[in-house]
Amino acid sequence: MNQSLSITKTLAITAALLGSMALYAASVQAETIEGKLNGLECASRGEECPTDKLDPHIAVERDFVVQTADGKYYFITNLDRAIKARHALEMVRVEGEVSSKFDAINANEFWVKDGGNYRLTWSSSMQAEQERLVRGTAPAKGMER
């Protein structure tokens, strides 16, 4: 009887843990956001700026956000400002985890529209590889030291 009760408890705990893991995995699924990379100040006023990439306004923008067709905008929390400034006013696709509390995405991949197709310009794995190369902590794949 005690062994039967013990098995039942073990199965119940295992089922609860698996259910919790499934719920967690569903809540942090990668999402994709597409839109134009716009200056934060302009996006918050509902405007599109700067007017072109030579516009001095780019230098004074604190950050750049992905502004979707409906006017909503998302911060890219882990992408360096320099990368965003380089692609200001371009159509982009960001894949990553969207915050349920804030209009923000923690990017795994950053794609820029080039002609009719998107091309990958940054990813967390590309950055990690570059950091390893700069620090000399591990050789790149296919390269020997």
Side-chain angles (χ1 to χ4, degrees), residues 1-29:
M1 172 100 168
N2 279 342
Q3 188 176 18
S4 174
L5 186 57
S6 177
I7 292 173
T8 303
K9 282 183 180 180
T10 302
L11 288 174
I13 291 171
T14 303
L17 286 173
L18 289 174
S20 296
M21 288 170 44
L23 286 174
Y24 176 75
S27 68
V28 294
Q29 287 182 0

Side-chain angles (χ1 to χ4, degrees), residues 36-39 50 53 58 64 83-90:
K36 186 174 274 193
L37 204 58
N38 196 9
K53 291 193 180 210
I58 287 179
F64 297 87
I83 296 170
K84 292 183 262 189
R86 188 176 311 129
H87 298 289
L89 297 178
E90 295 181 17

